[in-house]
Amino acid sequence: MRRASVFSLLLVLLLLAWVTYVQAVEGSGFRDNSHNERTAISQYANPLGNIMAGGKPITGSTATTGDLKFKRTYQDGKVYAPVTGYASQSYGSNQLEALDRTVLDGSDSRLKNPLEALTREPSKPGDVMTTIDPAVQKAAYKGLGNNTGAAVALDPETGKVLALASTPSYDPSAFSGSGTSDQKAWLKLSKDKDQPMLNRALRQTYPPGSAFKLVVAAAALEDGLYSSVDEPTKSPDPYRLPGTVTDMKNENASAPCKNATIRTALQYSCNTVFAKMAVNLGESKLGAEAKKLGFDRSELDIPVRAAKSVYPSGMDDSQTALSGMGQFDVTATPLQMAMVSSAIANDGKLMKPYEVDRTTDGSAGALDRTDPETFTQAMSESTAKELRSAMQTVVQKGTGTNAKIPGVEVGGKTGTAQHGENNSGNPFAWFVSYADDGSGHKVAVAVVVEDSDAPRADISGGGLAGPIAKSMMSAAVDGGAAS
């Protein structure tokens, strides 16, 4: 009896120790496990807080039957999906819905009221106030239309993300519940070859093509290779790639690219000029400037993490030449190219992009707030001024005339990037630009059209992406009065 009692006591002590360990150490893991139904029941027991754009909610909650009493709803779900992400009773959440989950479901400790411990009432959920400008966001989504692509707009002076659009898109409301229709919607979206749930603005990288020539020009001016955008570059046409017998030519054979200035080379998008410029600078100097502008950063969170944009290393001279026109293994997200334009528009200072202005306690009280933060001094003020002047020439009388806005200073650069085996795929059409209405409204934009219905011969950055950028810039400056 004594031995049995001692043994039983030991078992009780071991059980108590194990329960204590589970609660104290493993408790959070079990609580946050996606298979824990209690977590979902708790999360959806009450209406969620809202994600806001322009001071108005772009999300909501609606009552359901069953254990999960409320499910998420979305206003203009396809327009804002790249911003909000999704919150699903069956499939979890992503993007802002996931990153700010505790604020939105009321479990954040900062939302707790001491009286709630006595009344056992749930905490009031908080809201997430984004930096998104609804007019710019809708202009981006409407402009992209049925094309596959993405568009980003930034406030150059603060880094605020004003628009983040990706097409084709999806409506997160379609699978926010746990019914059969939600399961069918999720399965359909998951199998869609066009990948509507891919956030192309942040998570997809593309060869930037001629839009990357802005980075090359910045590096050349910063290095002192040329004193201004109006100094002749002593560039041949055609240009023989170093170490090869291949002559690089320009798309427009009649363009005045021989010995062209940077201004003229950007206006006519002279491949020969920037290929030679890249070789003269060398991979190291060009890569250093690209890094200042955000390339090769593996952890760029806005707070949703963006994919890494890459300027390659270990290239020979001919490959470096190709990188000078945004080809070879150069890749960039639309966010990254908007950052390039943003730095130029902001006198060379690149502000860190962010899409959440603040989180609140559901009323006027802010839980936290994002302050503008300098990312890098990407180039000197004089270099930025020179590049703005050259970009204005591109819009006034170059390849970017489709982006003109009367009464507004607009600068831009087009890009048509080859891709696929032996360049077999339809080119990607880019337009990178900025607008300044002179009264305190500035915006930097990047648009890429990945796939469209246009014939291959008609695909160009100025023709496809330029008008989209124009509509976004018009919406951003002076409330669209300039459009």
Side-chain angles (χ1 to χ4, degrees):
M1 290 291 291
R2 187 185 305 111
R3 291 175 180 173
S5 298
V6 171
F7 181 69
S8 298
L9 179 60
L10 289 174
L11 290 178
V12 170
L13 292 174
L14 285 172
L15 180 60
L16 289 172
W18 174 248
V19 169
T20 302
Y21 172 79
V22 167
Q23 291 182 333
V25 179
E26 300 288 347
S28 60
F30 287 118
R31 184 171 56 252
D32 297 335
N33 192 293
S34 59
H35 298 290
N36 185 352
E37 293 185 1
R38 290 177 179 270
T39 301
I41 291 172
S42 174
Q43 183 178 358
Y44 293 103
N46 300 284
L48 296 171
N50 284 314
I51 298 174
M52 316 281 280
K56 297 181 179 180
I58 53 177
T59 59
S61 295
T62 187
T64 66
T65 58
D67 292 334
L68 306 179
K69 294 183 179 181
F70 291 87
K71 71 175 183 178
R72 193 53 133 173
T73 59
Y74 295 85
Q75 307 293 326
D76 293 322
K78 289 187 176 182
V79 177
Y80 290 104
V83 178
T84 62
Y86 60 79
S88 170
Q89 293 177 345
S90 298
Y91 304 105
S93 57
N94 74 346
Q95 297 184 185
L96 294 186
E97 290 279 29
L99 292 172
D100 289 307
R101 186 193 68 179
T102 59
V103 170
L104 294 168
D105 67 16
S107 63
D108 192 298
S109 60
R110 294 170 295 177
L111 296 169
K112 301 297 182 184
N113 186 314
L115 292 177
E116 292 167 359
L118 300 175
T119 63
R120 303 183 70 85
E121 289 292 324
S123 298
K124 182 181 178 181
D127 295 326
V128 177
M129 316 296 287
T130 73
T131 60
I132 299 297
D133 183 322
V136 184
Q137 180 74 16
K138 290 176 181 178
Y141 181 77
K142 181 180 179 181
L144 287 168
N146 294 325
N147 298 320
T148 299
V152 176
L154 301 175
D155 180 335
E157 296 181 333
T158 63
K160 289 181 178 179
V161 178
L162 303 179
L164 203 66
S166 176
T167 55
S169 190
Y170 69 100
D171 184 358
S173 297
F175 56 89
S176 62
S178 56
T180 302
S181 62
D182 299 274
Q183 296 171 16
K184 289 181 178 178
W186 174 270
L187 188 62
K188 182 180 179 181
L189 287 167
S190 300
K191 291 184 175 181
D192 193 327
K193 63 180 179 62
D194 292 327
Q195 297 181 282
M197 295 176 71
L198 171 63
N199 188 338
R200 289 175 167 83
L202 297 180
R203 299 299 304 166
Q204 182 69 13
T205 59
Y206 304 89
S210 293
F212 188 75
K213 291 172 182 175
L214 292 172
V215 180
V216 183
L221 292 170
E222 287 291 279
D223 181 64
L225 187 61
Y226 304 106
S227 60
S228 77
V229 294
D230 295 309
E231 179 183 340
T233 58
K234 299 180 181 179
S235 304
D237 183 12
Y239 171 65
R240 176 153 295 186
L241 294 175
T244 76
V245 293
T246 301
D247 286 337
M248 176 184 288
K249 300 180 181 180
N250 295 295
E251 291 290 328
N252 183 355
S254 62
C257 293
K258 184 175 181 179
N259 200 30
T261 63
I262 290 176
R263 184 188 302 276
T264 300
L266 287 173
Q267 177 184 347
Y268 291 93
S269 203
C270 299
N271 291 335
T272 51
V273 173
F274 289 97
K276 176 180 178 292
M277 198 180 300
V279 173
N280 289 346
L281 283 167
E283 171 196 307
S284 178
K285 291 180 180 178
L286 188 46
E289 181 60 36
K291 188 170 183 178
K292 287 181 182 179
L293 286 161
F295 284 81
D296 299 320
R297 308 281 182 139
S298 58
E299 296 183 357
L300 178 57
D301 301 327
I302 69 167
V304 179
R305 178 158 295 181
K308 180 181 178 180
S309 299
V310 174
Y311 182 76
S313 59
M315 297 179 288
D316 60 30
D317 282 349
S318 65
Q319 293 167 337
T320 301
L322 293 175
S323 78
M325 43 188 281
Q327 298 286 174
F328 187 55
D329 289 338
V330 183
T331 60
T333 62
L335 172 66
Q336 171 59 72
M337 295 312 295
M339 290 168 66
V340 171
S341 181
S342 179
I344 294 170
N346 194 40
D347 291 332
K349 182 187 291 186
L350 176 59
M351 304 302 289
K352 183 180 179 181
Y354 65 98
E355 62 174 329
V356 174
D357 181 70
R358 65 191 184 277
T359 58
T360 74
D361 59 7
S363 56
L367 300 178
D368 55 48
R369 187 183 301 271
T370 306
D371 294 321
E373 177 184 344
T374 300
F375 191 67
T376 62
Q377 184 66 43
M379 64 193 75
S380 66
E381 184 176 343
S382 61
T383 291
K385 183 178 180 180
E386 289 279 321
L387 289 177
R388 286 199 302 273
S389 175
M391 291 171 71
Q392 290 167 40
T393 301
V394 172
V395 171
Q396 289 301 315
K397 53 184 180 180
T399 56
T401 54
N402 282 336
K404 285 182 182 179
I405 302 175
V408 176
E409 178 187 312
V410 179
K413 180 68 191 82
T414 57
T416 305
Q418 306 295 331
H419 75 106
E421 187 175 351
N422 297 320
N423 297 328
S424 58
N426 277 349
F428 297 142
W430 281 92
F431 196 77
V432 177
S433 60
Y434 78 90
D436 182 352
D437 69 358
S439 61
H441 299 100
K442 294 182 181 180
V443 64
V445 169
V447 177
V448 61
V449 177
E450 178 181 338
D451 192 20
S452 71
D453 296 330
R456 182 184 175 98
D458 295 337
I459 295 175
S460 68
L464 288 178
I468 303 170
K470 176 183 177 179
S471 67
M472 295 170 65
M473 292 186 291
S474 296
V477 296
D478 203 21
S483 61

